[in-house]
PDB file of all heavy atoms in Angstrom:
ATOM      1  N   VAL A 138      27.207   1.101 -12.831  1.00 93.00           N
ATOM      2  CA  VAL A 138      26.467  -0.055 -12.293  1.00 93.00           C
ATOM      3  C   VAL A 138      27.160  -0.622 -11.074  1.00 93.00           C
ATOM      4  O   VAL A 138      28.336  -0.953 -11.061  1.00 93.00           O
ATOM      5  CB  VAL A 138      26.330  -1.125 -13.372  1.00 93.00           C
ATOM      6  CG1 VAL A 138      25.545  -2.353 -12.808  1.00 93.00           C
ATOM      7  CG2 VAL A 138      25.641  -0.594 -14.602  1.00 93.00           C
ATOM      8  N   ALA A 139      26.366  -0.769 -10.001  1.00 93.00           N
ATOM      9  CA  ALA A 139      26.903  -1.459  -8.802  1.00 93.00           C
ATOM     10  C   ALA A 139      26.695  -2.976  -8.952  1.00 93.00           C
ATOM     11  O   ALA A 139      27.564  -3.773  -8.778  1.00 93.00           O
ATOM     12  CB  ALA A 139      26.187  -0.968  -7.514  1.00 93.00           C
ATOM     13  N   TYR A 140      25.438  -3.330  -9.295  1.00 95.00           N
ATOM     14  CA  TYR A 140      25.143  -4.732  -9.563  1.00 95.00           C
ATOM     15  C   TYR A 140      24.200  -4.889 -10.770  1.00 95.00           C
ATOM     16  O   TYR A 140      23.294  -3.990 -10.930  1.00 95.00           O
ATOM     17  CB  TYR A 140      24.412  -5.383  -8.370  1.00 95.00           C
ATOM     18  CG  TYR A 140      25.360  -5.565  -7.167  1.00 95.00           C
ATOM     19  CD1 TYR A 140      25.384  -4.583  -6.113  1.00 95.00           C
ATOM     20  CD2 TYR A 140      26.132  -6.711  -7.004  1.00 95.00           C
ATOM     21  CE1 TYR A 140      26.233  -4.755  -5.034  1.00 95.00           C
ATOM     22  CE2 TYR A 140      26.948  -6.914  -5.927  1.00 95.00           C
ATOM     23  CZ  TYR A 140      27.001  -5.890  -4.942  1.00 95.00           C
ATOM     24  OH  TYR A 140      27.827  -6.057  -3.857  1.00 95.00           O
ATOM     25  N   ALA A 141      24.405  -5.900 -11.558  1.00 95.00           N
ATOM     26  CA  ALA A 141      23.435  -6.213 -12.648  1.00 95.00           C
ATOM     27  C   ALA A 141      23.140  -7.666 -12.518  1.00 95.00           C
ATOM     28  O   ALA A 141      24.060  -8.523 -12.414  1.00 95.00           O
ATOM     29  CB  ALA A 141      24.058  -5.894 -13.994  1.00 95.00           C
ATOM     30  N   ILE A 142      21.870  -8.045 -12.566  1.00 95.00           N
ATOM     31  CA  ILE A 142      21.416  -9.388 -12.317  1.00 95.00           C
ATOM     32  C   ILE A 142      20.551  -9.867 -13.505  1.00 95.00           C
ATOM     33  O   ILE A 142      19.615  -9.183 -13.847  1.00 95.00           O
ATOM     34  CB  ILE A 142      20.605  -9.527 -11.038  1.00 95.00           C
ATOM     35  CG1 ILE A 142      21.500  -9.021  -9.814  1.00 95.00           C
ATOM     36  CG2 ILE A 142      20.191 -10.969 -10.765  1.00 95.00           C
ATOM     37  CD1 ILE A 142      20.711  -8.827  -8.559  1.00 95.00           C
ATOM     38  N   ILE A 143      20.937 -11.007 -14.075  1.00 93.00           N
ATOM     39  CA  ILE A 143      20.074 -11.623 -15.099  1.00 93.00           C
ATOM     40  C   ILE A 143      19.080 -12.499 -14.394  1.00 93.00           C
ATOM     41  O   ILE A 143      19.414 -13.448 -13.718  1.00 93.00           O
ATOM     42  CB  ILE A 143      20.899 -12.451 -16.081  1.00 93.00           C
ATOM     43  CG1 ILE A 143      21.919 -11.611 -16.816  1.00 93.00           C
ATOM     44  CG2 ILE A 143      19.966 -13.153 -17.091  1.00 93.00           C
ATOM     45  CD1 ILE A 143      21.279 -10.641 -17.745  1.00 93.00           C
ATOM     46  N   GLU A 144      17.772 -12.196 -14.501  1.00 89.00           N
ATOM     47  CA  GLU A 144      16.733 -12.932 -13.855  1.00 89.00           C
ATOM     48  C   GLU A 144      16.472 -14.243 -14.622  1.00 89.00           C
ATOM     49  O   GLU A 144      17.012 -14.445 -15.741  1.00 89.00           O
ATOM     50  CB  GLU A 144      15.454 -12.117 -13.758  1.00 89.00           C
ATOM     51  CG  GLU A 144      15.574 -10.819 -12.945  1.00 89.00           C
ATOM     52  CD  GLU A 144      15.881 -11.008 -11.551  1.00 89.00           C
ATOM     53  OE1 GLU A 144      15.818 -12.155 -11.041  1.00 89.00           O
ATOM     54  OE2 GLU A 144      16.161 -10.003 -10.839  1.00 89.00           O
ATOM     55  N   THR A 145      15.728 -15.122 -14.037  1.00 83.00           N
ATOM     56  CA  THR A 145      15.497 -16.462 -14.646  1.00 83.00           C
ATOM     57  C   THR A 145      14.716 -16.353 -15.900  1.00 83.00           C
ATOM     58  O   THR A 145      14.756 -17.290 -16.719  1.00 83.00           O
ATOM     59  CB  THR A 145      14.784 -17.393 -13.642  1.00 83.00           C
ATOM     60  OG1 THR A 145      13.514 -16.751 -13.241  1.00 83.00           O
ATOM     61  CG2 THR A 145      15.643 -17.615 -12.411  1.00 83.00           C
ATOM     62  N   ASN A 146      13.989 -15.274 -16.151  1.00 79.00           N
ATOM     63  CA  ASN A 146      13.206 -15.133 -17.394  1.00 79.00           C
ATOM     64  C   ASN A 146      14.032 -14.345 -18.452  1.00 79.00           C
ATOM     65  O   ASN A 146      13.526 -14.066 -19.528  1.00 79.00           O
ATOM     66  CB  ASN A 146      11.877 -14.460 -17.170  1.00 79.00           C
ATOM     67  CG  ASN A 146      12.075 -13.103 -16.575  1.00 79.00           C
ATOM     68  OD1 ASN A 146      13.117 -12.552 -16.425  1.00 79.00           O
ATOM     69  ND2 ASN A 146      10.947 -12.476 -16.194  1.00 79.00           N
ATOM     70  N   GLY A 147      15.303 -14.042 -18.146  1.00 84.00           N
ATOM     71  CA  GLY A 147      16.170 -13.396 -19.103  1.00 84.00           C
ATOM     72  C   GLY A 147      16.237 -11.910 -18.995  1.00 84.00           C
ATOM     73  O   GLY A 147      17.021 -11.264 -19.712  1.00 84.00           O
ATOM     74  N   ASN A 148      15.396 -11.308 -18.161  1.00 88.00           N
ATOM     75  CA  ASN A 148      15.395  -9.845 -18.018  1.00 88.00           C
ATOM     76  C   ASN A 148      16.581  -9.392 -17.142  1.00 88.00           C
ATOM     77  O   ASN A 148      17.076 -10.159 -16.306  1.00 88.00           O
ATOM     78  CB  ASN A 148      14.098  -9.372 -17.340  1.00 88.00           C
ATOM     79  CG  ASN A 148      12.920  -9.516 -18.244  1.00 88.00           C
ATOM     80  OD1 ASN A 148      13.082  -9.545 -19.489  1.00 88.00           O
ATOM     81  ND2 ASN A 148      11.720  -9.636 -17.730  1.00 88.00           N
ATOM     82  N   LEU A 149      17.030  -8.179 -17.319  1.00 93.00           N
ATOM     83  CA  LEU A 149      18.151  -7.649 -16.573  1.00 93.00           C
ATOM     84  C   LEU A 149      17.667  -6.627 -15.560  1.00 93.00           C
ATOM     85  O   LEU A 149      16.877  -5.742 -15.868  1.00 93.00           O
ATOM     86  CB  LEU A 149      19.132  -6.971 -17.555  1.00 93.00           C
ATOM     87  CG  LEU A 149      20.385  -6.360 -16.883  1.00 93.00           C
ATOM     88  CD1 LEU A 149      21.328  -7.464 -16.395  1.00 93.00           C
ATOM     89  CD2 LEU A 149      21.105  -5.425 -17.843  1.00 93.00           C
ATOM     90  N   CYS A 150      18.094  -6.782 -14.303  1.00 93.00           N
ATOM     91  CA  CYS A 150      17.822  -5.783 -13.271  1.00 93.00           C
ATOM     92  C   CYS A 150      19.123  -5.137 -12.896  1.00 93.00           C
ATOM     93  O   CYS A 150      20.135  -5.802 -12.706  1.00 93.00           O
ATOM     94  CB  CYS A 150      17.165  -6.478 -12.044  1.00 93.00           C
ATOM     95  SG  CYS A 150      15.542  -7.191 -12.366  1.00 93.00           S
TER      96      CYS A 150
END
Side-chain angles (χ1 to χ4, degrees):
V138 179
Y140 290 94
I142 303 169
I143 299 292
E144 301 294 351
T145 56
N146 60 6
N148 291 335
L149 181 72
C150 294

